[in-house]
Amino acid sequence: MSDPPPAALTVFPLLNIPEVRPGDDLAELLWKSMREGGLGPLAGDVLVVTQKVVSKAEGARVKLDSVQPSEQARAWAAAWGHDSRQVELVLRESKRIVKMERGLIISETKHGFICANAGIDLSNAGEEGIALLLPDDPDASARRLRERLLALTGQDLAVILSDSFGRPWRQGLTQAAIGVSGLLALLDLRGERDADGRKLHGTLIALADELADAADLVSSKTARVPAALIRGYRGPRRGKSGREGSGRDLLRPPEEDLFR
Amino acid sequence: MSDPPPAALTVFPLLNIPEVRPGDDLAELLWKSMREGGLGPLAGDVLVVTQKVVSKAEGARVKLDSVQPSEQARAWAAAWGHDSRQVELVLRESKRIVKMERGLIISETKHGFICANAGIDLSNAGEEGIALLLPDDPDASARRLRERLLALTGQDLAVILSDSFGRPWRQGLTQAAIGVSGLLALLDLRGERDADGRKLHGTLIALADELADAADLVSSKTARVPAALIRGYRGPRRGKSGREGSGRDLLRPPEEDLFR
């Protein structure tokens, strides 16, 4: 396969990844898919993996039958036609409720993400009666995948864990980079100058979220494409301080957030 | 240039676009850049253009010296160290203030976008003392660019106008598709089934925003890369009803929005 022309960025879907089960070596499955797809990988490639397969491999799952719903969960579920065990899990995984209205629960997870249903989902969980949770520490999950892929392939890839989040005001889900390793998540252009020499005020760019969105374009929610490889990305790998990025960099500090 | 392998998506920056001035034929400038970059274009390519150059070409600009600030604008500007004429423009371009706190104005523009400063920006405006406004009708701007490019190139490209929007809860700007032509903006998977055969509940995907984010990855806020061409995108061009997408499809209906 020929290289893309300079400065172009290419997004490859990782195909033929089997259903992932607890304990699977996800890095091995991803590498196999890359090899079979003729995709190298190359150092500097950015691998975007959906949270769902990471949670599956890590066993971040709960059997719904094992969940004893609280009174609050039962009342809410009854009022809105939900599964009370799932509601209970959402409340347990939340450290703060942001809105609980019209059958929707928007909360802050223990990690600090603000999203619907604490990131818990029943669809594509792989089995009936199972709920998948977000990984305990998505940055650590990304770092482990990166380290394992380095060992397998000899190449240092950047890794992003992505999840689908809704947004106030705008319709439709986009991707949120919840875990990051080997990449700057947030680009700080404050103090840089624009093409006219004018200082750019307050410009922070959510690079890792943009990469996760690019990856989502080659996935398919109804087929099994749980990862994509981005080649040719020329964005920064570290900040000026030398620090690598984190999924937490993309959490708006509470004191700057008008919509907590 | 060889085609990318099946299912891969490639994002090309459009280089060497000169400073755009009111009345310029933007489609011609974009086409020249594509030709010089060996980029065809091909039917089905998605062209993502930043709002800023569209506003420049359309003359959607205001000389700050011509703006007479209201009492409210003067008081707010004095309190927060802003330019009262710019504050006045933000208030004029807004049909509803969502939040006005800590020096920030988050409002709903006359188009229905909820964003900071009604999309008005002084950086990269091309001249001192000029503020660029959002285009009057971004969908119409996208459609005109698409029609002009069809006339010039013989190819039917999809066109997205993108702008940088902030978000509650998450740090950093991402791209919002404010105008769309020739493409489905929002994919509705409700009623489809996942890989396990389970119905996907409530899954809407903001495809045009994801495309705009992919394009932003090859731009550079400090250089002049105001457009990108996406090749190999296999997403739908029309909805089931046959209707093409619109930037307005990505506005969350007020009755479904918990954060108005």
Side-chain angles (χ1 to χ4, degrees), chain B residues 34 67 131 218 237 258:
Chain B
M34 290 183 227
V67 177
V218 300
R237 306 289 157 155
L258 303 183

Side-chain angles (χ1 to χ4, degrees), chain A residues 2 9 11 102 124 128 167 169-171 173 194 204 206 209-210 213 216 250 252 255 257 259, chain B residues 2 9 11 102 124 167 169-171 173 194 198 204 206 209-210 213 216 250 252 255 257 259:
Chain A
S2 67
L9 173 151
V11 189
R102 304 181 220 176
N124 271 322
E128 283 299 318
R167 313 164 288 177
W169 315 328
R170 292 186 71 73
Q171 187 68 289
L173 304 173
D194 69 16
L204 296 167
D209 284 343
E210 293 189 332
D213 271 347
D216 200 45
L250 296 167
R252 192 181 277 272
E255 65 277 13
D257 198 334
F259 299 91
Chain B
S2 68
L9 173 150
V11 188
R102 304 182 220 176
N124 272 321
R167 312 164 289 177
W169 314 328
R170 291 187 70 73
Q171 186 68 290
L173 305 172
D194 70 16
R198 177 187 283 274
L204 297 166
D209 284 343
E210 293 189 332
D213 270 347
D216 199 46
L250 296 167
R252 192 181 277 271
E255 66 276 13
D257 198 334
F259 299 91

Side-chain angles (χ1 to χ4, degrees), chain B residues 116-179:
Chain B
N117 296 326
I120 296 171
D121 194 2
L122 296 177
S123 72
N124 272 321
E127 292 171 48
E128 282 299 316
I130 292 290
L132 285 176
L133 312 182
L134 294 184
D136 257 343
D137 181 346
D139 279 329
S141 300
R143 192 171 55 247
R144 281 194 300 270
L145 271 177
R146 178 181 170 206
E147 287 167 357
R148 178 77 181 127
L149 282 162
L150 177 58
L152 287 169
T153 72
Q155 304 291 345
D156 191 15
L157 313 187
V159 176
I160 293 173
L161 254 61
S162 74
D163 195 8
S164 301
F165 280 12
R167 312 164 289 177
W169 314 328
R170 291 187 70 73
Q171 186 68 290
L173 305 172
T174 56
Q175 295 295 307
I178 62 170

